[in-house]
Amino acid sequence: MINEEIRYYKLNAILAVTASGQHVIGCDAENPTAMRDYLNVLNEHNKKKNSILNIISHDLMGPIGIIQSVSSLLTDPETFPGEQRVRQYLSLINRTSKKCIDLIRNFINQEFIESFGVKLVKKRIELVSKMQVMMDEYDNSEVELRKNFTLSSNMDKI
């Protein structure tokens, strides 16, 4: 350890035979620490990227599933009797697709911030109320999608 820093060295030994038949071992040394550190940083960023992509793909599936269901209802002439129902469906599609776009923008902004080494400000949120806002959106589409959504929590605030 030099200056409280661990360093690694790679020695490459070479066996050579001189013209007189004498065996000589030579070696060169290289310091792979920088490359190792670089690879560690790359691996950490790769893990972070994969984690974020998994979260985003999961978070987008719900809203995109709603868009798909509602749009399929719009193509079925037996599903809606009049224009009011169509406007409700279109409003739901509009809100849901806006949420997907916002999610993607937030992801891009997050990646931009992290790529420049800016610390992300983390704050606590009240989870039950956040979930209730999301459930209100799903409640608005319950009848149209022919699905029932419920939210239950053993605590009022988390």
Side-chain angles (χ1 to χ4, degrees):
M1 277 174 58
I2 301 172
N3 298 333
E4 300 296 321
E5 183 180 316
I6 297 175
R7 296 186 184 193
Y8 299 92
Y9 293 93
K10 179 179 177 187
L11 299 175
N12 296 313
I14 302 166
L15 176 61
V17 180
T18 64
S20 64
Q22 185 180 16
H23 287 80
V24 179
I25 296 178
C27 70
D28 66 336
E30 71 180 271
N31 182 352
T33 305
M35 179 59 82
R36 181 181 300 237
D37 291 344
Y38 175 73
L39 289 174
N40 286 339
V41 168
L42 275 179
N43 284 334
E44 286 303 312
H45 282 290
N46 194 37
K47 287 178 190 175
K48 217 184 264 188
K49 172 201 59 124
N50 288 342
S51 174
I52 290 170
L53 288 175
N54 283 334
I55 291 168
I56 285 189
S57 64
H58 181 266
D59 287 352
L60 283 174
M61 274 171 116
I64 291 174
I66 290 173
I67 292 171
Q68 183 182 29
S69 297
V70 172
S71 63
S72 70
L73 289 173
L74 286 172
T75 59
D76 183 7
E78 295 177 10
T79 302
F80 56 90
E83 290 181 24
Q84 178 62 25
R85 190 72 112 173
V86 172
R87 282 194 294 276
Q88 288 174 340
Y89 290 157
L90 291 173
S91 175
L92 180 60
I93 288 173
N94 189 11
R95 285 191 318 269
T96 307
S97 59
K98 183 183 180 313
K99 282 185 177 183
C100 289
I101 290 169
D102 288 344
L103 184 64
I104 292 168
R105 280 191 184 127
N106 289 340
F107 169 69
I108 290 169
N109 290 338
Q110 169 90 15
E111 281 301 300
F112 176 77
I113 288 170
E114 285 185 3
S115 68
F116 283 100
V118 176
K119 297 248 182 202
L120 179 65
V121 176
K122 296 179 183 179
K123 66 178 185 177
R124 291 172 113 21
I125 62 165
E126 201 288 291
L127 190 59
V128 175
S129 64
K130 286 284 187 185
M131 291 299 294
Q132 188 58 53
V133 169
M134 187 178 81
M135 290 306 297
D136 290 343
E137 272 301 311
Y138 284 122
D139 285 344
N140 292 335
S141 63
E142 238 176 32
V143 175
E144 291 86 5
L145 298 177
R146 297 182 188 107
K147 294 184 180 175
N148 188 16
F149 301 100
T150 58
L151 170 66
S152 64
S153 173
N154 61 351
M155 301 172 73
D156 292 338
K157 291 185 176 187
I158 300 176

